[in-house]
Amino acid sequence: MTRTIKRCDAGAVMALWQGRGEPRAAPCIASTDPAALRLSSAAVGVGARVRMSALGRQRHPRYGARQGVIVGRGGPSSWRVKFDDAKTVQSIHQAYLEVVA
């Protein structure tokens, strides 16, 4: 039987990853990051200009206020970004990025 879990329930999500059951993840409204929702729900795709968000600058201060271009998907929750001053492509979580207006 498939049961619905909240995304903020780490134990149930870990059980899903380890193959002990198949619960469907439901979004936890209280812990949803508004910046991540804006990026994922917007028409973001290959070629969009992005920069590091405030959370991204806090977690990765070395990246600073870099801007770059999305070149692909890194996974279900990350984007592959080619920063302007870098030679290589980085996979960055979508909560750490914001679209440049």
Side-chain angles (χ1 to χ4, degrees), residues 42-73:
V44 176
V46 176
R49 290 215 38 96
V50 293
R51 66 178 173 216
M52 295 296 287
S53 66
L55 179 62
R57 289 189 300 270
Q58 178 186 1
R59 299 268 174 95
H60 300 284
R62 191 176 65 182
Y63 290 152
R66 289 184 176 181
Q67 291 189 5
V69 177
I70 293 179
V71 295
R73 291 299 301 231

Side-chain angles (χ1 to χ4, degrees), residues 14-96:
M14 188 57 128
L16 173 64
W17 290 339
Q18 293 174 350
R20 294 180 281 139
E22 295 186 25
R24 292 179 292 136
C28 182
I29 301 301
S31 66
T32 303
D33 182 18
L37 287 177
R38 277 195 309 265
L39 185 65
S40 64
S41 65
V44 176
V46 176
R49 290 215 38 96
V50 293
R51 66 178 173 216
M52 295 296 287
S53 66
L55 179 62
R57 289 189 300 270
Q58 178 186 1
R59 299 268 174 95
H60 300 284
R62 191 176 65 182
Y63 290 152
R66 289 184 176 181
Q67 291 189 5
V69 177
I70 293 179
V71 295
R73 291 299 301 231
S77 62
S78 65
W79 293 97
R80 302 277 292 161
V81 179
K82 167 70 170 74
F83 289 110
D84 295 338
D85 58 345
K87 292 182 181 179
T88 59
V89 177
Q90 293 288 323
S91 184
I92 306 289
H93 192 273
Q94 65 188 10
Y96 299 161

